[in-house]
Amino acid sequence: WQQAERYLADALEAMERVLGDDHPETLKVMHALGLVYWNRRKFDLSIPLYQRLVDLRSRRFGDAHAETQSARANLAVNYQDAGRDEDALPLLEASVRDESLVDEGYKSMLRPRLAQVYEALQMYDKATSLHLENVARCRQQHGDKHGLTGRAFYLLGQNLLAQDRCAEAEPVLRESLAIRQQLFPSTWLASNLMSLLGEALAGQNKFSEAESLLVEGYQGLEQHRNTIPEASRTEYLKQALQRIIDLYVAWNQPDKATSWQAKMDQLPP
């Protein structure tokens, strides 16, 4: 990525000088450089570049043109990943809701993002509705056992857990876990879902079944920890451990809670 960034930055500078900043080929390179900045999490560079790209494409092609709307959707993604959910919200809503904007394949990626922005802004009813819509679309387009359908169930289950709707989350997470165990057995993805399902059971005081899933889920995450994305590895492990600690606190087993807290304390901050 570093080499690509250097090459594209040099190319953009040359093309702006020779062709102009709103030439179609210049705009393509600007978009490519924005993707590199985004992949490298350089939001201080990617966001102003995409803001500029939206303005230039709007001037060149018109505000409703697919190229302009694609740039606006990419800007929304950058806002969200930079933690600027309030800025991302109107752009994502426009991209997802207006049937004339953005191709359907891209929308399938944007819908879960919009739901996550709703959740970040504590607009849970809107998020739940969008997750349910996404599950229905994935089942219709890909079938009940497809990986994208499993992910849609996973995101809906997380949403329900965040609202303490554990009884509703349980069958959703079971469905997602069954798909992931079939498609991705013995992976951290399946282990993380075990942990989430354990949380849903613990929230219904089904402590014995929850214990088995929570412990097995955490052990699976530990076993496959090197395959978890590095940026979120510690967070996944901490969440799994916290679910176990919360279980034993609720189950009135303080010694076990203390033992697992010791494991938590060994993780980096």
Side-chain angles (χ1 to χ4, degrees):
W1 290 114
Q2 184 175 357
Q3 186 175 358
E5 178 183 330
R6 188 182 309 114
Y7 170 80
L8 288 169
D10 290 344
L12 178 60
E13 181 180 354
M15 295 179 79
E16 286 180 318
R17 185 173 61 253
V18 175
L19 300 176
D21 61 2
D22 66 344
H23 190 280
E25 294 303 315
T26 304
L27 298 178
K28 287 180 182 178
V29 173
M30 191 177 295
H31 169 64
L33 180 58
L35 286 177
V36 171
Y37 286 150
W38 171 74
N39 269 288
R40 301 193 71 193
R41 293 305 188 250
K42 292 186 173 183
F43 300 119
D44 59 321
L45 298 176
S46 65
I47 287 174
L49 190 64
Y50 273 116
Q51 289 171 331
R52 186 172 172 227
L53 185 60
V54 169
D55 291 339
L56 289 170
R57 282 187 174 176
S58 178
R59 188 173 74 197
R60 179 82 184 194
F61 303 116
D63 193 59
H65 193 277
E67 293 290 330
T68 306
Q69 297 304 331
S70 175
R72 190 169 284 122
N74 285 325
L75 175 58
V77 168
N78 277 262
Y79 278 145
Q80 182 191 10
D81 289 347
R84 295 172 58 176
D85 294 301
E86 292 184 354
D87 291 322
L89 179 58
L91 300 181
L92 284 172
E93 286 182 326
S95 296
V96 167
R97 295 304 183 192
D98 192 328
E99 293 301 324
S100 67
L101 308 181
V102 188
D103 66 85
E104 181 56 37
Y106 197 28
K107 280 186 180 182
S108 67
M109 183 275 289
L110 294 176
R111 286 191 192 95
R113 280 185 167 273
L114 176 56
Q116 289 167 344
V117 167
Y118 283 144
E119 289 164 353
L121 298 175
Q122 299 185 347
M123 303 166 70
Y124 288 111
D125 288 344
K126 286 188 174 183
T128 303
S129 177
L130 195 55
H131 281 306
L132 287 166
E133 177 187 340
N134 199 43
V135 167
R137 285 178 179 270
C138 286
R139 296 180 79 172
Q140 181 179 15
Q141 293 173 8
H142 306 294
D144 290 343
K145 302 302 179 183
H146 194 275
L148 290 176
T149 306
R151 174 169 171 75
F153 276 121
Y154 161 71
L155 293 173
L156 174 59
Q158 279 193 315
N159 169 269
L160 294 170
L161 281 180
Q163 300 174 74
D164 293 324
R165 295 164 64 175
C166 296
E168 295 171 76
E170 179 186 345
V172 172
L173 292 170
R174 286 192 187 279
E175 190 74 31
S176 184
L177 179 58
I179 295 170
R180 286 200 172 172
Q181 286 180 323
Q182 180 180 358
L183 297 177
F184 312 109
S186 301
T187 63
W188 76 268
L189 294 169
S191 297
N192 186 56
L193 260 167
M194 284 185 190
S195 180
L196 285 168
L197 178 55
E199 179 181 348
L201 293 168
Q204 302 172 72
N205 296 332
K206 299 178 180 179
F207 295 133
S208 294
E209 187 180 1
E211 180 182 34
S212 176
L213 284 165
L214 287 169
V215 172
E216 184 178 354
Y218 171 74
Q219 290 173 341
L221 287 171
E222 271 289 359
Q223 180 182 352
H224 302 291
R225 66 182 298 158
N226 290 334
T227 63
I228 303 173
E230 184 177 359
S232 51
R233 183 179 302 155
T234 299
E235 186 62 27
Y236 277 113
L237 291 169
K238 284 184 174 181
Q239 289 173 354
L241 281 169
Q242 190 60 56
R243 293 184 190 111
I244 296 174
I245 295 166
D246 291 343
L247 165 75
Y248 287 127
V249 170
W251 205 358
N252 196 27
Q253 298 193 34
D255 290 344
K256 288 186 177 180
T258 300
S259 176
W260 284 96
Q261 182 63 55
K263 292 180 181 291
M264 175 80 85
D265 293 340
Q266 294 173 9
L267 290 175

